[in-house]
Amino acid sequence: MLDIKLIREQKDFVKNEIAKLFIEAPIDEIYELDEIRRNKLFIVENLRNKRKVLSAEIAKEKDAAVLQSKKEEVKEINEQIKEEEDLLKGIEEKFNRLMLEVPNLPESEVPIGKDDSENIPVSYFNEKKQFSFTPTTHYDIGEKKKFIDFNRGAKISGTRFYILRNSFAKLQRAVINFMLDTHVYEHGYEEIYPPFMVNKECLIGTGQLPKFADNLYMDSDSDMWFVPTAEVPITNMYRNEILNSNELPIYHAAYTACFRKEKMSAGKDSRGIKRGHQFDKVELVKIVKPEDAREELFKLIADAQDILNRLDLPHRLVKICTGDLSFSAAEKYDIEVYAPGINEWLEVSSCSNFNTFQARRANIKFKRENDSKPEFAATLNGSGLALPRVMIAIIENYQTIDGNVRIPEALKQYFGSEEFI
RNA sequence: GGAGAGAUGGCCGAGCUGGUCGAAGGCGUUCGCCUGCUAAGCGAAUGUAUGUUUAUAAAGAACGUACCGAGGGUUCGAAUCCCUCUCUCUCCGCCA
């Protein structure tokens, strides 16, 4: 959520910034509604004050006739209050609804661009591997060795579900442990195991709702929503809290399964394990002082990249342009790993700085000093990393000519004496 | 799932026979005094959000409104009474 004062005082600037995102937002409407809202609030508050004063007089009034007339007077005021309050409530509901639909403003460093075709790969890491044979895909290897069971996955759960078996299941578990261990022991994150289901407030807090409900699974009679990413439970741990500045920065790393309907990408990426309704992910979340947000973003990106470096996987960093920024993000970088079998750059991480946008929605504040005014904190997050695509990259990059997969050096400690799977 | 108890400010904890209660008291924190140093002692300050007016380079100031788990109701007036919901604790049942 944006600061209403920013819209109130610099409406044209806000409109200009949002134009860079190539989407529409009802800024003019909000601006007008804000003024109407404040006028109405003023009226209501004055009426309430009148009532309060009269009530205090009634408490002291001795004369029965005067008492009665004052009571009547308050009753009339109450009717007015009721009327005005109803109007105010309607105005505020609309105002809040519109405010929740306004996206975050981009950082000035974000390149202007219409859509993902204008994202900019800024740097490349680790050489692509040279193969003496034509590398095949992870799904061919997986099916041949019976380590991925697509048919049974579809049988028990439907399309876009698969079953990992045997060595691939073990590999995935090893990668999860490896990533968590690295972030927790090497990068200084606190490990978190959160619920995989959350209430609606959380999803509003981090910005998935109200706009993106169609990508979320939920239990309709208990207001329980499956998390689409650990960002949601982790960031919302601090919802409605005022943190001490000595608690900042907060670094959290969490493994969760993630659930997404992926309706909008129907038909896309249907082959393999690249895009499913359920996938595992290790997520990094930071809560920091606003002035530190950008610097923390680059540190977070480095932490995520470190996983790929330790696995010796070729990857690149892509700067996301304004038109491809997600709703809540002010600045975003994707990390894409190269998979030689399917010959694609796969997004394994999306690292975003939200500035105070999510904190405003989730009401996450901090105090600089004991006696200073609470301020909104900045939040950031990034995958560190998304499992299926790291699996694809490992399988396809480490495949051997005889159809096996060599276990990467960094993962050996998670296996016994095995060299290949 | 059944029975009962509870939810108050950073924390603890009064108030709950309705009326200067945004809320006693204590602890904590901050500032000042005192003091070889520290501790103790003494004094003062110390919730959040928002509106109006005013002011500034900023910060602010004055006044108002809302908030005692959430939402509704009764009343001239609700932390206090009534209803619904959520959560916590205790006991019983069930269970990975």
Side-chain angles (χ1 to χ4, degrees):
Chain A
M1 198 155 53
L2 299 184
D3 187 349
I4 181 59
K5 283 187 206 133
L6 188 66
I7 295 177
R8 204 181 286 159
E9 287 159 17
Q10 301 186 56
K11 183 172 64 134
D12 290 335
F13 166 77
V14 172
K15 285 169 77 172
N16 205 28
E17 289 300 297
I18 286 177
K20 292 180 185 171
L21 306 173
F22 298 91
I23 51 176
E24 303 287 325
I27 301 302
D28 283 324
E29 206 177 338
I30 287 171
Y31 181 86
E32 285 163 27
L33 219 45
D34 174 51
E35 201 160 311
I36 295 168
R37 182 187 124 255
R38 278 150 62 213
N39 286 337
K40 195 54 86 183
L41 185 60
F42 186 66
I43 291 168
V44 169
E45 286 183 351
N46 282 331
L47 283 170
R48 282 179 185 153
N49 181 243
K50 232 178 177 176
R51 171 175 65 190
K52 193 177 166 182
V53 170
L54 276 170
S55 285
E57 288 174 17
I58 288 170
K60 291 177 195 154
E61 187 57 58
K62 294 287 192 305
D63 186 307
V66 179
L67 191 74
Q68 197 50 40
S69 89
K70 284 196 170 171
K71 282 190 182 183
E72 292 302 324
E73 198 179 336
V74 175
K75 274 191 178 176
E76 273 171 42
I77 291 172
N78 272 338
E79 273 170 42
Q80 283 182 61
I81 290 178
K82 178 99 177 65
E83 206 172 296
E84 297 293 341
E85 271 181 344
D86 285 347
L87 290 170
L88 179 65
K89 208 172 158 187
I91 294 162
E92 283 186 331
E93 267 166 23
K94 187 168 186 196
F95 175 78
N96 291 333
R97 200 178 69 236
L98 293 179
M99 283 295 281
L100 288 176
E101 284 176 18
V102 179
N104 202 356
L105 305 183
E107 283 280 346
S108 56
E109 286 79 1
V110 177
I112 312 269
K114 208 171 168 49
D115 54 37
D116 58 1
S117 67
E118 295 188 62
N119 292 339
I120 303 167
V122 285
S123 44
Y124 289 75
F125 305 85
N126 304 330
E127 290 295 307
K128 284 190 185 174
K129 299 210 172 6
Q130 298 300 312
F131 290 89
S132 60
F133 56 96
T134 308
T136 184
T137 64
H138 67 284
Y139 44 84
D140 277 346
I141 298 172
E143 286 198 296
K144 198 167 292 171
K145 302 192 65 146
K146 300 204 187 317
F147 289 161
I148 307 177
D149 192 337
F150 291 104
N151 291 333
R152 287 198 176 100
K155 176 165 75 179
I156 62 175
S157 300
T159 181
R160 283 195 194 281
F161 285 93
Y162 54 85
I163 298 166
L164 295 183
R165 304 182 61 140
N166 205 327
S167 295
F168 278 11
K170 286 195 280 185
L171 176 63
Q172 172 152 301
R173 182 158 53 84
V175 175
I176 292 167
N177 283 332
F178 162 65
M179 296 198 295
L180 276 176
D181 284 344
T182 306
H183 294 310
V184 170
Y185 295 111
E186 312 278 335
H187 301 152
Y189 289 75
E190 180 191 346
E191 183 165 349
I192 302 288
Y193 175 78
F196 290 10
M197 298 185 88
V198 295
N199 58 38
K200 184 189 263 164
E201 301 306 311
C202 292
L203 291 148
I204 291 171
T206 34
Q208 284 77 17
L209 289 179
K211 280 197 94 171
F212 308 103
D214 57 352
N215 201 25
L216 300 168
Y217 289 101
M218 69 158 329
D219 172 32
S220 56
D221 50 41
S222 67
D223 182 36
M224 294 301 290
W225 302 65
F226 285 89
V227 300
T229 159
E231 159 196 0
V232 179
I234 305 298
T235 305
N236 279 284
M237 281 167 64
Y238 301 100
R239 181 150 49 88
N240 291 332
E241 290 195 21
I242 299 171
L243 302 160
N244 289 323
S245 90
N246 61 19
E247 294 177 84
L248 302 181
I250 289 170
Y251 284 21
H252 286 327
Y255 155 79
T256 69
C258 303
F259 304 92
R260 299 181 184 178
K261 286 192 176 172
E262 302 287 8
K263 272 183 181 164
M264 53 271 278
S265 30
K268 221 166 130 187
D269 309 322
S270 53
R271 204 78 207 272
I273 63 171
K274 181 174 153 188
R275 189 186 296 273
H277 290 309
Q278 169 189 324
F279 65 99
D280 285 15
K281 183 156 61 66
V282 169
E283 183 76 2
L284 306 175
V285 174
K286 291 184 175 186
I287 298 176
V288 306
K289 294 179 188 169
E291 65 270 25
D292 300 332
R294 282 204 83 221
E295 186 190 336
E296 291 285 358
L297 175 65
F298 293 110
K299 280 163 70 181
L300 187 147
I301 291 167
D303 291 335
Q305 277 188 289
D306 188 41
I307 299 294
L308 295 174
N309 287 331
R310 288 168 188 244
L311 291 171
D312 191 30
L313 290 169
H315 63 279
R316 66 182 186 184
L317 190 61
V318 180
K319 197 171 188 172
I320 303 302
C321 73
T322 52
D324 197 33
L325 276 183
S326 45
F327 181 75
S328 303
E331 184 170 17
K332 176 165 130 171
Y333 287 81
D334 281 357
I335 300 169
E336 296 183 344
V337 69
Y338 182 70
I342 54 177
N343 186 28
E344 279 182 55
W345 290 95
L346 298 172
E347 179 189 326
V348 287
S349 181
S350 196
C351 302
S352 305
N353 169 19
F354 304 98
N355 286 329
T356 58
F357 185 85
Q358 289 182 329
R360 280 209 154 74
R361 292 176 153 243
N363 190 27
I364 301 169
K365 295 188 165 180
F366 76 102
K367 282 187 178 183
R368 289 184 192 275
E369 303 294 340
N370 230 303
D371 54 352
S372 47
K373 275 258 166 284
E375 297 172 46
F376 287 110
T379 62
L380 301 96
N381 68 53
S383 338
L385 307 154
L387 262 299
R389 295 176 186 177
V390 174
M391 292 282 288
I392 295 174
I394 291 171
I395 293 162
E396 294 188 2
N397 277 290
Y398 282 86
Q399 63 181 292
T400 60
I401 193 162
D402 48 356
N404 295 320
V405 176
R406 189 162 60 79
I407 296 172
E409 208 55 44
L411 297 180
K412 282 205 170 139
Q413 55 176 312
Y414 298 95
F415 289 86
S417 54
E418 297 156 90
E419 293 264 332
F420 297 91
I421 55 179

